[in-house]
Amino acid sequence: MPSCKPLLVTLGALLLWLLPMAAVAAPEGLPAFTVTTGEDGEQQYTVTLQILALMTALTFLPAFLMMMTSFTRIIVTFAILRQAIGLQQTPSNQILIGLALFLTIFIMSPVLEQAHEEALVPYMNEEISPLEAVKAASDPFREFMLGQTREADLHMFVRISGHQYDSVEDVSFWVLMPAFVTSELKTAFQIGFMLFIPFLIIDMVVASVLMAMGMMMLSPIIISLPFKIMLFVLVDGWALIMGTLAASYGI
């Protein structure tokens, strides 16, 4: 096996050659990474730092989508529904995620509109600072999460955190978030349990009939699958599921 030492030496020499070039002053007009302090003591960041912070925050967007919205409850319910029917890859994961995403936007539209009016518009008009905009945007999400979080879950995480709060509104955002996700998972599994019951009854009936007929080698899942699909279509299952999920958030 050839030695990689010459390659490392070459890369090191190239790095030493590039370092002086990197030390050259930036061209005139290039935005500087500076932080200024206003008369009231508030720190102001340059546009370059604000863009950098925004691009960094975008990497956490998927986590925020799952942890601060109704996405978790919806996608877990859809996954349980697909398993209850007995379909492994239909609808596909992409379709389920797309349905969950657009249903999440529909459910969260009042919260998003409030955050837009109270945070984004004043910030674009330069009426509030970036930190004030973040605080104003988080308030509608905080109110939504508090409304969907069980008191038992919230008290559990407050106890684990070791802090004492005078009221629910004073609970830290980082304590509220895991409590909200726990409540969402619990609600999703409760809905999934109710979805499993009719399909489980069909499986039991088909298995009993096959056993009575002596067809021991025939898989009951193959026979019950068309009946479960037919039942789901006849009762307009997708409309019921989406309507139930939306109604669970008070819409």
Side-chain angles (χ1 to χ4, degrees):
M1 179 177 180
S3 175
C4 61
K5 184 176 180 180
L7 178 60
L8 296 177
V9 173
T10 304
L11 291 177
L14 180 62
L15 180 61
L16 292 176
W17 179 70
L18 290 175
L19 282 177
M21 298 179 61
V24 177
E28 185 178 356
L30 186 66
F33 294 87
T34 59
V35 179
T36 59
T37 303
E39 297 179 356
D40 55 353
E42 182 181 0
Q43 290 183 340
Q44 299 290 337
Y45 302 92
T46 60
V47 177
T48 307
L49 280 178
Q50 295 180 21
I51 295 176
L52 179 62
L54 178 62
M55 297 302 294
T56 304
L58 288 178
T59 60
F60 296 95
L61 184 61
F64 288 150
L65 174 64
M66 292 185 292
M67 299 299 143
M68 298 173 55
T69 64
S70 59
F71 183 83
T72 301
R73 183 187 302 185
I74 297 172
I75 193 62
V76 171
T77 302
F78 284 166
I80 294 177
L81 172 64
R82 185 174 64 178
Q83 187 174 1
I85 297 177
L87 299 172
Q88 300 299 324
Q89 298 297 330
T90 306
S92 63
N93 293 332
Q94 291 83 355
I95 294 177
L96 291 183
I97 292 176
L99 286 174
L101 180 60
F102 283 102
L103 188 57
T104 299
I105 295 175
F106 171 75
I107 294 174
M108 299 295 298
S109 57
V111 179
L112 297 175
E113 291 176 359
Q114 184 179 355
H116 177 267
E117 295 175 358
E118 297 181 358
L120 183 59
V121 173
Y123 174 71
M124 296 299 294
N125 295 333
E126 299 183 355
E127 299 175 359
I128 58 177
S129 64
L131 294 180
E132 292 175 344
V134 172
K135 177 64 170 59
S138 64
D139 289 340
F141 286 92
R142 180 186 180 87
E143 182 179 356
F144 169 80
M145 294 165 65
L146 280 174
Q148 302 298 326
T149 304
R150 290 179 171 85
E151 293 184 3
D153 297 329
L154 186 59
H155 291 165
M156 180 187 67
F157 281 97
V158 169
R159 184 177 66 256
I160 294 175
S161 65
H163 297 283
Q164 298 294 332
Y165 299 97
D166 297 332
S167 62
V168 177
E169 288 73 17
D170 297 333
V171 175
S172 171
F173 196 84
W174 306 111
V175 175
L176 175 61
M177 184 177 296
F180 169 74
V181 175
T182 304
S183 297
E184 288 292 283
L185 289 175
K186 187 181 298 184
T187 304
F189 275 82
Q190 289 176 349
I191 298 175
F193 171 77
M194 300 302 296
L195 292 175
F196 247 103
I197 293 178
F199 300 114
L200 181 60
I201 293 175
I202 294 177
D203 287 333
M204 295 176 62
V205 171
V206 171
S208 300
V209 172
L210 292 178
M211 185 175 296
M213 296 176 63
M215 298 180 180
M216 309 294 296
M217 303 301 295
L218 185 60
S219 175
I221 299 178
I222 299 177
I223 305 300
S224 63
L225 181 58
F227 292 99
K228 290 190 288 187
I229 295 177
M230 181 181 64
L231 173 65
F232 191 72
V233 172
L234 289 177
V235 300
D236 199 5
W238 286 112
L240 289 176
I241 295 300
M242 294 187 181
T244 301
L245 288 172
S248 65
Y249 289 97
I251 297 180

